[in-house]
Amino acid sequence: MEKRQQAVISGVFAVLVILVFGYFIIGELTLPSDQGKTGGKTTAAVYAGSWERILPSGKRVKIKIPCKVSAARNETVVVETKLPDRIGTNHYLCFRSAKQDMRFFIDGKLRLDYSTKDTRLFGRMSAAAYLFLEVSEEDAGKVLRVESQTDSAYTGVCYTVYTGQQMGVWSYFFKRYGTELVVAFITFILSVIAIIGSLAVRFFYHKRVALEYLGWGILFAAVWLIANSAFRQLLFPNLSVINDIAFLMIMLLALPYLLYMNAIQKERYEIVYHVMEGLVILNFLVCTCLHVTRLCDFTDTIRSVSAFCILSIIVMAATILVDLIKGWIREYLFVAIGMFVVCIAAFIQIVIYFQKVNLFNGVILSIGLIFLLLFCTANTIGEIIEMDREKQQAIQASESKGRFLANMSHEIRTPIHAVLGMDAMILRESTEPQIRAYALDIQNAGQTLLALINDILDISKIESGKLEILPVTYDFSSLINDVVNMMEMKARDKDLEFLLSVDEQIPSRLFGDDVRIRQILVNLLSNAIKYTETGSVSLAVSYEPQGEMADLVFRVTDTGIGIRQEDMEKLFRAFERIEETRNRNIEGTGLGMSITLQLLQMMGTKLEVESVYGQGSVFSFHLLQKIENKEPVGNLEERMKNRVDAEKYQVLFTAPEAHILVVDDNSMNRRVFRNLLKSTCMQVEEAADGEQCLELVKSRNYDLIFLDHMMPGMDGIETLHAMREWEDYPCKNTPVIALTANAITGAREMYLKEGFSDFLSKPVRPEKMEKMIMQMLPPEKVHHGECLPQYTNEQQELPPLEGIDWEYAKLHCRDQKILQETISQFYEVIEKEAAQLANDLQAVCEAVTDEDRAQACRHYRIRVHAMKSSAAMIGAVPLSGMARMLEYAARDEKIGLLQAVTPQFLEDWRALRQILELVVSVSAVSEEEAQAFDAGLMRECLRLLKEAIAEMDIDTADAAASQLKQFAYPSEEMTEAVQQLNQAVCDLDEEQVIYWCDRLDHTK
Amino acid sequence: MKKILLIGGLGEIVRSLNECLVDDFQVQLCPAQVENVKAMEKIIRPSMFIYCKIGEEKNSAVMEWIRKNCAYIPVLIITAEQDWRENQKKYEQDPFPVLVRPLKKSELIETCYRLTGTERKPVNATGEGNAVSQQPKRKILLVDDSALILRCLKNMLEDYYMLRLAKSGEQALKMIEKETPDLILLDYEMEGIDGKTMFEMMRADDAMKNIPVVFLTSVADRKEIYSVLKSKPDGYILKPPDENRIRKTIEEVLSAGV
């Protein structure tokens, strides 16, 4: 809406502007002039009298003005004219001094003497100026003598003489040179704007813009034009100074352009430019020195200045030409065009200058410069836009990095939850010391990983400003208790003494963010323990009451390696670690300290470090906390010792009548939950999403519901809200506990506000969960005492094998015996199937025509399809999945994929043989057991086998085959044949069975 | 089910004996040659022998062998009345029971149960209680090109049904011709004649079109399942088969057929 209004107003504005300016231009051009009506018209004209030069010899020569008479340098040139017979009042003759000292005599009387001898600091000649000689009626017809003298090349220059009233002459000049002045002023203003703009950009973007140089360049040109203009004597009091300024400007002029071009061309021709710049500066210094010392005036050195200017232009043109050839010109096309325009303007200007021996007029050059400035500004604006875009991109990249980190840590936490949960199950259920040891290792590594991810999450939150300090009322003793519990173990593991000293007067309840304080203390203490090899680590808390507040000083002291003074600064930087080489074996991301510092900063305090290198360090910080309960905390150290023993006692309970509902989209999580609760004998039901949960709570009463927050579709909070909207349902009063992997500070409050009874962070800690369940369950359903976990004997029968999911296998083959048999049979045919698939693959590869290939693919597909089913049957789920992929690939005739994956598949497939060996009871017949070979009996067996296989009487066939296996055959060949036969029987391959039977029958 | 090795020449008598026993025992016929008996004993490991003497046949070698090598296995001798009268004394020396033809089916079965040391299932001539066990087992043909699946299915189902197995469509068709099953469990995906083709062939054949067919399929592809369903089989089961499900489906299809 606002945008539209803005657009409408802009449109109206544009129309108004066009109307006003249109009226201005058209009106002034077409309507008749009013100038004749205003009266008081001042006039001026070129003086038309004839002039004579009086040579030093006294000879008179007629001359025409303007001209340059030939005279020796420094010679006084004398010219005379007879004034007109009639002269009006307030009449002037206007001469121009070309750096000459001039004296005017009428009738032998000195009327005007112009010289800046006594007002100038430097230089040997007077500045050029317009001189007004007042003539009255009395002077009519008298002789005017003009003497001019200068120590310069201007000796003998006589400019046009104007006559008229003073104002008239000026207005005449204004008409002639006014444009020049106005254009010069405009140029000046634009250049100032360019300079200010560039400085602003420099200030806001911290980047120098090349336009600044150009601004200076144009400023110099503008000042030069103004200082050289006809009106300078009206604008500036001291003519010599402004004259000098004009020269100084022109001498400096080349410098900013060189700097600008060098920057624009990305310093490709740095050396050339620097040399050029050096020369210009040198020239400037030399000329100035000469001028100041009056050895040589600016006017005389102007040639060298011009030479350097031209040289600079040539250098720039050359570099632009090179860039044009190499194509780099695209980077600064606008600038090049601008430069070109200026060159043309300058050229035209010079031509005009030489054609009319007259005053210098800089209009065209000024316009050229304005063009240059505009083009360069366009170029610079383009650069600024680009810069702005880059800045935006950088900001965006940083933001998405933060988001990525936050998401990642959530994504990583979920699987870790599963790992730790499963591990907790192992620790609970397994009695094997070896396995428990492994599981403990997993737990440690998992906890470390989790801590790491939490660190990363914290730092990304701090960086994005999302982390907040959330003060709550907390129990000081439990804070210390938690920290000590966590840290004492670590210290003990490293054989370090852990000392605790807490002021007994500290109030028991305080108001502050205990989670973050805990984090800070844990960080400091674990750092201290990490970097200490021998000695002790201590935590001391002292206290000073300050009215309503408690001023606590936490002090963590260690006897570790200490910190060098020069490393102190590093300590406070993220990801930096001190003495990287020495401490390589110490794990950590280097984030801990950074987080600690930032947290302390957010709490309005800071960390103080004292350290003696090699002896140890003391980290301390003050903390102001509001007192909630003044009762002193008492002797914590004593209490802690007693507590340690009490903690070891674990509360165990059973609640067989209790019904619990677990809602989580991740089946693994649900399984972990179910297993963790196994020992409580509770009845656990599961729901995979919010909808399912709603169905279930409608149907019956649960004593407790665990509801995952993050779920696809309806999330936990939505589910709870939906539930609470109902008027009446069986679970109306059931406590609902939120499960979340995103345990941020303030989560508890948030969940309570949303209507949950409490929340549990994943990975779930069994003790915490059990305590919570105990609190939430109706007391009559809770029985204290242990319910022994039931060990399932199946697990002992089938050892866990890599790549095989017994649970899955059992889903289909409930009977252990059948499964075992199936596995044995599978085991027998592994090699055969593999060989056949390899053949099929070869056929696929060798197929020439499309038809052949389709056929071969079909064969391959059917084979791999069968293998897929077989693998699934015994629970080799990954392999089955691979087979499925191959099946689809074969269906779509993706030959490349088949070729690439089949070998790996076959390798894995064959590897099953080794894996399954553990569970297959291989009834290898030892030599002693083998029965004596009985040809008759064998033949009978073979006959029976053939019959049985024809009828697909598997039992008989198997029996016959196993009987055949038991003979001690006289030849290797027969043993081999029997093995083949056995495999064929296993595979129920009639053709092969008959073939090998016949072979056996006929071998002797 | 106990195994019985029925020794005797292939003839009318042996066949009728076999028919009498087949519902209660697993009977294996065996020619009355020492060689054969020796092999069969090894392979079948029967719980008892039935030695059927026919006519004048007097091959005592077999009996000799049994007495010598398998003294722990009970033997039932069946003989003709004439023979019994002639050699009564000789038979009475032996510990083996002798039944004389013509004999009653119930007598034969009871003797067999006694000898194999098993309790006969409560056969209540009028009993309503155990209808399933009274009914002859239904015949099911399993067709799958994977031996593993065949064996697995066999292990799952053999206690409840009479099973015939086929490893290919061709073999299955042969078997159907020989003996019409009550139901066919048919793998959808096979080499050669695949399940679909076979199913179509059966439906086109008057003799076979009424046999119920349950497809076994592991195609988790929706398209394939639709195409299976489109051919309107009597049921379908996804592989790997789940024992309970498969039995439930079979029972449903069978009872629908009745």
Side-chain angles (χ1 to χ4, degrees):
Chain A
M1 205 58 205
E2 271 175 36
K3 272 198 171 163
R4 238 175 81 188
Q5 286 169 359
Q6 182 79 11
V8 168
I9 292 170
S10 304
V12 171
F13 174 73
V15 169
L16 290 179
V17 167
I18 290 168
L19 284 177
V20 170
F21 281 92
Y23 168 67
F24 167 62
I25 292 164
I26 294 166
E28 285 297 332
L29 285 178
T30 55
L31 295 176
S33 167
D34 292 327
Q35 274 175 356
K37 302 174 188 166
T38 52
K41 192 181 168 195
T42 50
T43 55
V46 174
Y47 176 73
S50 61
W51 291 91
E52 277 179 336
R53 181 186 171 197
I54 301 163
L55 292 169
S57 57
K59 203 174 150 196
R60 284 176 177 264
V61 185
K62 273 205 178 235
I63 54 165
K64 248 194 172 167
I65 280 179
C67 71
K68 185 180 187 302
V69 298
S70 57
R73 200 177 162 117
N74 232 348
E75 185 192 312
T76 307
V77 175
V78 184
V79 290
E80 275 188 2
T81 185
K82 191 169 165 273
L83 291 172
D85 296 336
R86 283 194 55 194
I87 295 172
T89 51
N90 188 22
H91 206 86
Y92 290 86
L93 285 178
C94 173
F95 296 85
R96 180 173 167 79
S97 144
K99 302 182 191 294
Q100 296 144 327
D101 292 344
M102 289 181 107
R103 285 189 296 176
F104 300 88
F105 301 89
I106 293 179
D107 227 7
K109 269 201 277 181
L110 180 67
R111 293 286 286 269
L112 186 67
D113 184 0
Y114 170 73
S115 173
T116 59
K117 232 181 270 173
D118 43 351
T119 53
R120 66 180 177 230
L121 281 174
F122 317 111
R124 293 188 302 185
M125 59 196 80
S126 301
Y130 288 97
L131 307 174
F132 290 86
L133 177 69
E134 192 177 5
V135 285
S136 58
E137 281 172 48
E138 296 147 31
D139 304 323
K142 291 181 178 165
V143 173
L144 168 68
R145 189 155 69 103
V146 182
E147 292 179 13
S148 68
Q149 181 254 327
T150 179
D151 182 15
S152 75
Y154 287 94
T155 309
V157 170
C158 302
Y159 286 121
T160 313
V161 179
Y162 302 95
T163 176
Q165 289 166 331
Q166 193 172 24
M167 272 306 290
V169 175
W170 278 120
S171 72
Y172 179 85
F173 283 164
F174 192 78
K175 273 190 184 151
R176 232 176 131 175
Y177 300 118
T179 334
E180 178 197 347
L181 187 70
V182 171
V183 171
F185 266 110
I186 291 171
T187 316
F188 178 79
I189 289 162
L190 286 180
S191 66
V192 169
I193 290 171
I195 290 168
I196 290 170
S198 311
L199 289 175
V201 170
R202 197 158 116 192
F203 180 74
F204 288 116
Y205 291 91
H206 303 285
K207 196 182 167 185
R208 204 182 178 113
V209 202
L211 191 68
E212 192 186 327
Y213 297 123
L214 190 80
W216 286 112
I218 299 201
L219 180 76
F220 289 171
V223 170
W224 169 58
L225 283 171
I226 292 168
N228 239 358
S229 87
F231 305 97
R232 64 179 186 184
Q233 66 195 81
L234 300 178
L235 297 171
F236 307 99
N238 189 302
L239 286 176
S240 303
V241 171
I242 197 67
N243 190 51
D244 286 350
I245 290 295
F247 279 105
L248 293 172
M249 287 293 116
I250 199 114
M251 283 193 291
L252 279 176
L253 191 62
L255 198 58
Y257 291 97
L258 289 168
L259 285 167
Y260 178 69
M261 284 311 288
N262 190 20
I264 282 290
Q265 291 176 331
K266 302 204 170 136
E267 298 174 357
R268 277 191 288 271
Y269 313 102
E270 206 179 14
I271 297 168
V272 181
Y273 279 117
H274 287 344
V275 167
M276 208 54 232
E277 284 153 19
L279 288 175
V280 170
I281 291 169
L282 190 70
N283 177 58
F284 174 84
L285 293 176
V286 168
C287 291
T288 312
C289 282
L290 289 175
H291 181 73
V292 169
T293 53
R294 304 197 177 182
L295 283 174
C296 201
D297 218 284
F298 277 144
T299 318
D300 304 309
T301 52
I302 194 77
R303 275 170 211 285
S304 72
V305 174
S306 311
F308 281 115
C309 283
I310 289 164
L311 200 59
S312 300
I313 289 170
I314 291 170
V315 164
M316 286 189 255
T319 55
I320 289 174
L321 201 67
V322 172
D323 278 355
L324 180 68
I325 292 163
K326 297 213 170 164
W328 288 322
I329 201 160
R330 249 171 278 148
E331 292 170 10
Y332 60 98
L333 192 63
F334 281 120
V335 177
I337 293 170
M339 286 286 178
F340 185 66
V341 170
V342 170
C343 283
I344 289 175
F347 182 73
I348 294 170
Q349 197 74 70
I350 289 163
V351 168
I352 290 172
Y353 182 73
F354 281 108
Q355 272 191 345
K356 296 184 191 171
V357 185
N358 209 323
L359 279 173
F360 182 81
N361 178 322
V363 176
I364 294 170
L365 182 64
S366 292
I367 290 169
L369 286 174
I370 289 171
F371 266 102
L372 175 64
L373 189 62
L374 291 179
F375 279 119
C376 293
T377 310
N379 191 57
T380 308
I381 287 170
E383 273 176 14
I384 289 169
I385 289 168
E386 181 70 18
M387 219 150 61
D388 204 53
R389 222 183 59 206
E390 272 169 24
K391 198 174 161 186
Q392 290 297 334
Q393 269 174 359
I395 290 169
Q396 239 168 34
S398 164
E399 269 173 9
S400 62
K401 185 195 80 179
R403 259 204 309 278
F404 172 76
L405 273 177
N407 285 342
M408 258 333 263
S409 60
H410 175 248
E411 290 299 315
I412 296 168
R413 273 207 253 186
T414 309
I416 293 179
H417 168 216
V419 170
L420 286 177
M422 291 292 178
D423 197 57
M425 274 151 53
I426 295 173
L427 282 171
R428 280 178 160 229
E429 289 180 9
S430 174
T431 46
E432 293 244 354
Q434 192 67 36
I435 289 170
R436 290 185 65 84
Y438 294 149
L440 275 171
D441 285 346
I442 295 174
Q443 198 182 35
N444 286 340
Q447 297 289 5
T448 312
L449 190 56
L450 204 59
L452 210 81
I453 288 156
N454 286 338
D455 270 3
I456 294 173
L457 190 62
D458 273 347
I459 203 88
S460 68
K461 271 194 197 146
I462 289 173
E463 275 177 1
S464 58
K466 278 189 193 139
L467 193 114
E468 285 167 45
I469 298 295
L470 291 168
V472 289
T473 305
Y474 68 92
D475 207 7
F476 184 76
S477 63
S478 78
L479 167 74
I480 296 297
N481 186 27
D482 282 1
V483 172
V484 172
N485 273 349
M486 254 185 275
M487 290 297 123
E488 201 175 26
M489 283 286 279
K490 277 196 183 176
R492 216 181 292 150
D493 287 348
K494 276 188 87 175
D495 279 334
L496 299 174
E497 207 179 340
F498 188 91
L499 304 168
L500 178 69
S501 119
V502 178
D503 194 323
E504 291 182 22
Q505 294 307 313
I506 294 177
S508 59
R509 285 178 82 73
L510 296 166
F511 185 74
D513 191 342
D514 62 326
V515 175
R516 295 302 168 189
I517 299 172
R518 190 174 303 147
Q519 191 178 2
I520 292 166
L521 289 177
V522 166
N523 264 342
L524 290 177
L525 281 167
S526 55
N527 254 6
I529 293 169
K530 251 193 248 172
Y531 289 96
T532 305
E533 287 308 320
T534 53
S536 66
V537 171
S538 74
L539 170 65
V541 192
S542 58
Y543 159 71
E544 203 66 56
Q546 273 192 7
E548 279 295 288
M549 308 291 272
D551 182 10
L552 303 171
V553 182
F554 293 84
R555 193 181 296 273
V556 174
T557 315
D558 66 56
T559 57
I561 57 172
I563 304 159
R564 282 207 187 99
Q565 202 59 42
E566 59 265 34
D567 282 336
M568 284 287 187
E569 213 174 294
K570 263 193 187 176
L571 188 68
F572 300 143
R573 263 183 253 148
F575 302 105
E576 286 257 21
R577 293 177 56 191
I578 295 165
E579 287 190 84
E580 200 80 42
T581 42
R582 188 172 154 189
N583 301 324
R584 190 163 293 158
N585 55 343
I586 292 172
E587 60 184 29
T589 49
L591 282 175
M593 216 18 130
S594 173
I595 293 171
T596 304
L597 287 166
Q598 306 213 37
L599 286 176
L600 283 172
Q601 200 185 353
M602 291 168 84
M603 290 185 188
T605 175
K606 66 180 202 294
L607 189 69
E608 279 153 37
V609 191
E610 295 160 40
S611 183
V612 180
Y613 186 65
Q615 287 183 23
S617 329
V618 181
F619 291 84
S620 60
F621 60 93
H622 281 260
L623 199 59
L624 274 179
Q625 301 273 281
K626 215 169 109 195
I627 300 169
E628 290 279 313
N629 186 342
K630 277 200 172 153
E631 195 186 320
V633 74
N635 191 336
L636 267 186
E637 296 101 274
E638 272 305 307
R639 233 195 289 169
M640 206 66 75
K641 268 176 205 148
N642 302 334
R643 193 87 160 259
V644 170
D645 302 324
E647 276 290 311
K648 281 176 190 157
Y649 168 69
Q650 210 191 357
V651 200
L652 275 163
F653 70 100
T654 59
E657 302 102 73
H659 285 264
I660 285 193
L661 178 63
V662 179
V663 188
D664 195 319
D665 58 307
N666 188 330
S667 65
M668 193 62 108
N669 287 345
R670 296 201 301 269
R671 220 167 105 201
V672 167
F673 227 92
R674 181 184 275 281
N675 281 295
L676 285 178
L677 292 176
K678 215 191 256 172
S679 64
T680 64
C681 304
M682 279 188 288
Q683 320 224 354
V684 181
E685 272 183 59
E686 299 174 11
D689 54 36
E691 284 82 5
Q692 217 176 328
C693 163
L694 292 180
E695 285 300 309
L696 284 170
V697 295
K698 247 193 278 187
S699 64
R700 59 151 299 148
N701 173 48
Y702 292 96
D703 297 303
L704 190 55
I705 298 170
F706 286 96
L707 187 53
D708 187 31
H709 178 184
M710 290 262 212
M711 287 190 292
M714 214 188 241
D715 75 11
I717 293 176
E718 285 167 0
T719 310
L720 183 69
H721 287 181
M723 213 189 288
R724 294 294 188 227
E725 266 172 30
W726 298 336
E727 296 238 315
D728 194 37
Y729 61 105
C731 299
K732 196 163 173 56
N733 299 315
T734 306
V736 180
I737 292 170
L739 288 176
T740 175
N742 242 353
I744 45 169
T745 331
R748 196 190 149 85
E749 285 68 30
M750 193 268 280
Y751 285 118
L752 290 185
K753 212 177 87 197
E754 295 290 351
F756 288 95
S757 308
D758 207 335
F759 90 102
L760 261 184
S761 69
K762 295 195 278 186
V764 175
R765 277 166 60 195
E767 307 87 54
K768 209 169 165 185
M769 179 182 69
E770 275 168 20
K771 258 186 219 164
M772 196 176 277
I773 292 174
M774 280 243 283
Q775 281 170 10
M776 297 283 178
L777 282 185
E780 68 273 11
K781 287 193 179 175
V782 179
H783 307 282
H784 289 272
E786 195 171 348
C787 149
L788 286 168
Q790 294 134 6
Y791 294 102
T792 42
N793 37 6
E794 290 135 64
Q795 265 165 341
Q796 280 152 12
E797 276 179 27
L798 288 173
L801 295 181
E802 192 195 338
I804 292 184
D805 182 354
W806 292 133
E807 296 283 323
Y808 185 83
K810 276 190 201 127
L811 223 59
H812 306 291
C813 275
R814 268 160 227 241
D815 192 275
Q816 177 86 19
K817 227 179 81 199
I818 294 179
L819 179 60
Q820 194 96 45
E821 238 168 81
T822 309
I823 293 164
S824 305
Q825 276 138 18
F826 180 84
Y827 178 79
E828 287 293 327
V829 297
I830 286 172
E831 185 48 44
K832 193 173 155 247
E833 298 261 8
Q836 280 173 340
L837 189 72
N839 281 343
D840 286 341
L841 178 69
Q842 207 176 353
V844 170
C845 298
E846 284 167 2
V848 186
T849 63
D850 281 351
E851 209 174 312
D852 282 357
R853 187 171 305 116
Q855 183 68 20
C857 276
R858 204 181 106 78
H859 280 291
Y860 180 96
R861 180 170 65 90
I862 289 168
R863 176 88 55 209
V864 85
H865 168 85
M867 287 167 95
K868 177 187 82 180
S869 309
S870 315
M873 197 93 121
I874 62 150
V877 181
L879 208 57
S880 169
M882 210 160 156
R884 179 157 73 193
M885 193 192 82
L886 284 172
E887 187 189 342
Y888 289 164
R891 186 188 59 194
D892 303 336
E893 294 189 26
K894 290 179 185 156
I895 313 284
L897 192 63
L898 290 184
Q899 279 172 324
V901 183
T902 309
Q904 181 60 45
F905 173 69
L906 285 178
E907 196 180 301
D908 289 356
W909 178 266
R910 287 183 168 122
L912 271 185
R913 206 178 150 82
Q914 221 171 14
I915 293 167
L916 289 176
E917 226 160 52
L918 291 166
V919 281
V920 174
S921 41
V922 195
S923 50
V925 185
S926 59
E927 291 293 322
E928 300 95 66
E929 275 178 284
Q931 295 176 5
F933 176 62
D934 179 337
L937 192 54
M938 182 196 77
R939 208 152 290 142
E940 190 55 34
C941 285
L942 291 177
R943 187 187 63 80
L944 212 67
L945 179 57
K946 279 199 274 187
E947 245 177 55
I949 204 79
E951 286 292 317
M952 289 298 264
D953 180 352
I954 298 179
D955 291 332
T956 312
D958 283 352
S962 77
Q963 173 61 43
L964 283 169
K965 243 186 352 192
Q966 284 179 4
F967 291 126
Y969 288 95
S971 71
E972 277 290 313
E973 201 188 341
M974 286 176 92
T975 316
E976 170 65 27
V978 166
Q979 259 172 28
Q980 293 288 350
L981 179 61
N982 225 29
Q983 241 181 50
V985 171
C986 218
D987 198 29
L988 299 176
D989 188 336
E990 196 180 346
E991 249 174 72
Q992 287 283 313
V993 168
I994 290 169
Y995 170 78
W996 286 109
C997 279
D998 291 348
R999 261 245 356 232
L1000 257 179
D1001 214 359
H1002 295 117
T1003 356
K1004 291 291 158 201
Chain B
M1 248 203 309
K2 294 283 177 179
K3 291 172 185 167
I4 295 176
L5 197 62
L6 180 54
I7 305 165
L10 279 175
E12 194 56 42
I13 297 159
V14 170
R15 201 163 296 143
S16 67
L17 280 174
N18 186 20
E19 263 165 36
C20 289
L21 292 170
V22 82
D23 287 340
D24 295 77
F25 298 96
Q26 203 176 328
V27 183
Q28 176 69 47
L29 302 184
C30 177
Q33 302 290 328
V34 178
E35 284 295 299
N36 297 14
V37 175
K38 209 164 138 189
M40 292 279 196
E41 190 271 326
K42 279 250 156 52
I43 294 160
I44 310 286
R45 304 226 168 264
S47 306
M48 69 174 288
F49 294 112
I50 296 178
Y51 185 65
C52 185
K53 280 178 96 177
I54 296 158
E56 294 305 309
E57 177 218 351
K58 265 192 177 179
N59 194 344
S60 52
V62 174
M63 277 312 288
E64 280 304 310
W65 184 85
I66 289 173
R67 278 198 197 97
K68 217 163 133 197
N69 292 291
C70 310
Y72 51 93
I73 300 174
V75 183
L76 171 66
I77 298 169
I78 292 171
T79 183
E81 209 173 347
Q82 197 186 352
D83 178 60
W84 166 254
R85 260 186 261 121
E86 280 170 16
N87 302 306
Q88 198 171 6
K89 274 199 181 145
K90 206 169 140 199
Y91 285 128
E92 275 166 357
Q93 282 169 4
D94 270 340
F96 305 131
V98 180
L99 287 180
V100 182
R101 283 186 292 125
L103 35 77
K104 284 182 201 157
K105 189 183 172 184
S106 59
E107 191 187 4
L108 173 67
I109 290 172
E110 244 161 69
T111 316
C112 287
Y113 272 115
R114 190 162 46 80
L115 287 177
T116 53
T118 39
E119 282 289 311
R120 180 163 193 196
K121 284 178 198 160
V123 179
N124 223 337
T126 53
E128 307 96 39
N130 214 331
V132 178
S133 73
Q134 276 195 338
Q135 274 177 6
K137 281 184 177 174
R138 310 298 294 264
K139 278 172 270 178
I140 294 182
L141 176 63
L142 306 177
V143 189
D144 197 316
D145 61 340
S146 158
L148 199 68
I149 302 242
L150 271 186
R151 285 167 176 280
C152 185
L153 285 171
K154 175 181 165 286
N155 284 334
M156 282 178 187
L157 301 175
E158 68 183 345
D159 289 347
Y160 313 101
Y161 308 102
M162 286 268 282
L163 298 177
R164 290 284 177 270
L165 289 76
K167 228 192 142 211
S168 66
E170 292 89 335
Q171 204 176 11
L173 288 171
K174 263 186 242 162
M175 289 200 165
I176 296 168
E177 257 169 54
K178 230 189 274 175
E179 185 179 23
T180 313
D182 295 314
L183 184 139
I184 299 175
L185 270 181
L186 184 57
D187 187 24
Y188 190 75
E189 193 94 56
M190 283 190 294
E191 255 179 288
I193 301 178
D194 68 11
K196 200 179 163 201
T197 321
M198 186 176 149
F199 182 66
E200 279 160 8
M201 283 163 77
M202 283 173 61
R203 285 294 181 255
D205 188 314
D206 280 342
M208 292 190 273
K209 73 174 171 195
N210 292 322
I211 306 171
V213 171
V214 173
F215 269 124
L216 266 175
T217 163
S218 62
V219 272
D221 204 346
R222 201 169 283 276
K223 223 167 69 194
E224 299 256 14
I225 291 177
Y226 281 143
S227 95
V228 169
L229 289 179
K230 229 162 81 185
S231 57
K232 294 210 179 69
D234 300 273
Y236 86 97
I237 295 164
L238 284 180
K239 282 198 280 188
D242 171 64
E243 192 180 324
N244 293 348
R245 239 199 78 214
I246 207 167
R247 280 196 53 208
K248 210 173 131 217
T249 313
I250 291 173
E251 285 302 328
E252 272 171 21
V253 173
L254 283 177
S255 57
V258 171

